[in-house]
Amino acid sequence: MQTRSSARRFLAGPAALAASLLTLTACGAGTTDSTAAGNSAGGPTIRIGVGIDASYAPFFLADAEGLWAKHGVDVQLVQFGQGSEGVNNLTAGQVQMSGNSDTTTISMLQQDPGLRSLLVYEQSGKYLKVVLGPKVTAPSKIRKMAVAPGLSEMAATRFLESKGIDPKSVEFVTADPPEIPALMQKGDVDGYVLWEPWPAKGVELGGKVLENTGSYGLTYAQWLLTRSDWLKNNKDTAVKVAQTLEEAARLTESDPQAAAEATQKAVKVPAAQTLTAIKEIDFGARDFTAADLKGYEGTAQFVLDSGKVKAKPDVSAVVQRGWFTEHGKGSR
């Protein structure tokens, strides 16, 4: 029978949520605020939750290049060790917007039906990779896999299924991404599926990358998130953030070196790793498509089938289809 060993629950209740806001991440800090000098645009500061990997390069580049101020918004980036922390803090009102993966957000909709996704700013089937421990000779030898809640867990499940392995026969050990390569090195788990830089860290510790998630048909997208109550009263600000992110995503593709340097300065990810990641990720702000929604329904079904929620998440209420075209592009 499949088990999960963790001090955290996949979907935090109110008490766990409150605790998470006080708990330090595995990197040594619960949150880190960063605001580039000269970015002040007047008005209230908007706090945006971001992760600590290269997939957030457009946010760091916008900071470094003063793009927030250019678009008339004052932004403070708040770093979190994993995506679920960003959603938790958005729910708690500690940040007003956040970048997060589609899968992780869908898995957390039950705790906050007020979440709203405004656009997609990147997608990839190459950025997440399967890493096996040094003594694991084949997927069939896997007995334990480390997972982070949300995208990582679904990616691990789909990987096992693609190899004809019943996920219920494998123990899932939930941990923060920075902890996971060390768990593999110590032999506490046999493998994992994560985004960079954690596959590269795993290789440094003796593991091997087997394949990326696109090899077994899994892609992900990153959403720009907020809450319905905040959006109702701050539409103009949300539009400015969206426009900034669109420009920053385009600049990330056209000037990857600048994006890599900004990311290294912000979160200490080596520039070479970000340059590789940019080749693996398609950056660009866009609206949601019918194909997106079909895929999200499949993700919602996965969350329901996992037994972590009692009702299928209503993705249609969260995804604001057409919002970016109507407001972000139409407000120039």
Side-chain angles (χ1 to χ4, degrees), residues 238-318:
V239 168
K240 292 174 183 177
V241 171
Q243 291 174 339
T244 305
L245 193 55
E246 180 192 33
E247 180 176 357
R250 284 190 282 106
L251 187 57
T252 298
E253 289 282 353
S254 64
D255 193 351
Q257 185 63 43
E261 291 173 0
T263 302
Q264 183 172 26
K265 182 178 180 181
V267 292
K268 306 300 185 281
V269 173
Q273 286 188 16
T274 299
L275 288 171
T276 298
I278 291 172
K279 295 177 182 178
E280 298 172 336
I281 299 172
D282 295 322
F283 290 98
R286 64 170 177 82
D287 260 320
F288 297 95
T289 67
D292 290 331
L293 294 178
K294 182 178 180 181
Y296 300 154
E297 286 300 313
T299 301
Q301 188 63 49
F302 165 80
V303 174
L304 177 62
D305 293 343
S306 71
K308 297 180 177 67
V309 297
K310 295 181 179 180
K312 185 177 178 180
D314 184 4
V315 182
S316 63
V318 176

Side-chain angles (χ1 to χ4, degrees), residues 319-330:
V319 170
Q320 304 300 286
R321 191 173 180 189
W323 185 93
F324 182 54
T325 298
E326 179 182 354
H327 300 291
K329 289 182 176 293

Side-chain angles (χ1 to χ4, degrees), residues 6-304:
S6 175
R8 291 183 176 86
R9 293 183 62 85
F10 186 79
L11 297 176
L17 172 58
S20 73
L21 299 179
L22 301 174
T23 302
L24 300 181
T25 68
C27 291
T31 65
T32 303
D33 295 354
S34 62
T35 303
N39 265 6
S40 178
T45 298
I46 307 305
R47 290 163 60 86
I48 301 179
V50 296
I52 55 174
D53 66 272
S55 68
Y56 292 88
F59 292 91
F60 305 135
L61 186 59
D63 240 21
E65 298 293 329
L67 299 184
W68 306 115
K70 173 184 174 181
H71 288 271
V73 63
D74 190 358
V75 164
Q76 186 178 56
L77 299 181
V78 185
Q79 299 170 15
F80 297 102
Q82 60 178 308
S84 59
E85 293 174 351
V87 176
N88 280 340
N89 279 267
L90 181 59
T91 296
Q94 301 301 308
V95 298
Q96 289 75 51
M97 305 186 84
S98 181
N100 214 319
S101 78
D102 47 8
T103 303
T104 299
T105 304
I106 291 170
S107 73
M108 301 179 74
L109 292 183
Q110 181 172 273
Q111 80 177 48
D112 188 0
L115 291 171
R116 295 293 181 266
S117 179
L118 306 182
L119 55 86
V120 170
Y121 69 86
E122 72 169 63
Q123 57 193 18
S124 179
K126 299 178 180 179
Y127 189 51
L128 273 73
K129 302 177 183 73
V130 180
V131 181
L132 298 184
K135 297 182 180 180
V136 181
T137 57
S140 60
K141 304 297 183 180
I142 296 174
R143 298 294 177 264
K144 293 183 179 182
M145 290 194 78
V147 297
L151 178 58
S152 170
E153 182 169 357
M154 189 173 83
T157 301
R158 297 293 186 237
F159 165 70
L160 294 171
E161 292 173 341
S162 74
K163 303 304 179 184
I165 301 169
D166 183 355
K168 294 181 179 179
S169 68
V170 175
E171 179 182 353
F172 281 10
V173 179
T174 304
D176 287 330
E179 300 171 339
I180 289 177
L183 292 176
M184 178 213 67
Q185 182 189 39
K186 292 188 294 183
D188 292 344
V189 298
D190 301 312
Y192 57 89
V193 187
L194 278 177
W195 47 89
E196 294 291 356
W198 312 122
K201 292 290 186 182
V203 172
E204 290 176 7
L205 297 178
K208 51 187 176 290
V209 172
L210 182 66
E211 59 189 44
N212 58 46
T213 60
S215 300
Y216 53 92
L218 179 68
T219 62
Y220 79 94
Q222 288 278 108
W223 293 353
L224 177 63
L225 294 170
T226 188
R227 297 194 74 260
S228 58
D229 51 359
W230 186 87
L231 182 63
K232 180 179 179 181
N233 297 316
N234 297 274
K235 187 191 77 173
D236 290 346
T237 299
V239 168
K240 292 174 183 177
V241 171
Q243 291 174 339
T244 305
L245 193 55
E246 180 192 33
E247 180 176 357
R250 284 190 282 106
L251 187 57
T252 298
E253 289 282 353
S254 64
D255 193 351
Q257 185 63 43
E261 291 173 0
T263 302
Q264 183 172 26
K265 182 178 180 181
V267 292
K268 306 300 185 281
V269 173
Q273 286 188 16
T274 299
L275 288 171
T276 298
I278 291 172
K279 295 177 182 178
E280 298 172 336
I281 299 172
D282 295 322
F283 290 98
R286 64 170 177 82
D287 260 320
F288 297 95
T289 67
D292 290 331
L293 294 178
K294 182 178 180 181
Y296 300 154
E297 286 300 313
T299 301
Q301 188 63 49
F302 165 80
V303 174
L304 177 62

